[in-house]
Amino acid sequence: MKISHIEHVGIAVPSLEDAIPFYENILGFKCFAIEEVEDQKVRTAFFKVGDTKIELLEGTSPESAISKFIEKNGGRGGIQHIAFAVEDGVANALAEVEEKGCKLIDKAPRRGAEGLNIAFLHPKSTVGTLIELCEDPNK
Ligand code: ZN
């Protein structure tokens, strides 16, 4: 498996509308996409930082992983996951890390925001950090 870069950092926020002005007005980024990912029960907002992106995530249902994260965090947002871009396919990467003993949340790649193929590794196997592997199928 070859990881080329940090594709994005996933940051949970209680409200996109409340969070976006900080990133735009204080940090000077421009939000270039807002997208709902229904099967993950989230709305996302994206900002470019070099080759990496910031992905803000707002839960659209109390059962969403983002809503649960914020509840556990005392109602505040925070860094929820980090996503690495893999170059030779998410399915291949999953097979490789599983073979090495890593537990998976997603046994097979699924479609994430921005049309990426994504899969999450299990925090039990990653020393506590939620890690996403992703690949742009159009690259
Ligand atoms: Zn992500």
Side-chain angles (χ1 to χ4, degrees), residues 42 50 91 109 126 131:
V42 294
T126 63
I131 290 178

Side-chain angles (χ1 to χ4, degrees), residues 8 10 55 57 81 83 120 132:
H8 63 268
E55 176 186 40
L57 299 129
H81 68 271
F120 284 96
E132 175 183 344

Side-chain angles (χ1 to χ4, degrees), residues 89-92 94 106-112 116-120 133:
V90 174
N92 291 335
L94 288 178
D106 298 304
K107 296 275 183 196
R110 55 194 167 92
R111 198 172 176 83
L116 299 183
N117 292 328
I118 68 158
F120 284 96
L133 301 178

Side-chain angles (χ1 to χ4, degrees), residues 80-93:
Q80 196 257 351
H81 68 271
I82 184 163
F84 295 115
V86 299
E87 288 187 344
D88 40 10
V90 174
N92 291 335

Side-chain angles (χ1 to χ4, degrees), residues 28-44:
F29 298 135
K30 178 88 189 86
C31 176
F32 67 88
I34 292 181
E35 182 184 346
E36 181 158 352
V37 184
E38 273 180 40
D39 74 326
Q40 289 173 70
K41 301 184 176 72
V42 294
R43 284 174 70 227
T44 62

Side-chain angles (χ1 to χ4, degrees), residues 44-65:
T44 62
F46 283 95
F47 307 83
K48 279 199 176 75
V49 192
D51 286 342
T52 301
K53 295 166 204 153
I54 299 291
E55 176 186 40
L56 300 184
L57 299 129
E58 172 196 88
T60 57
S61 148
E63 294 95 68
S64 127

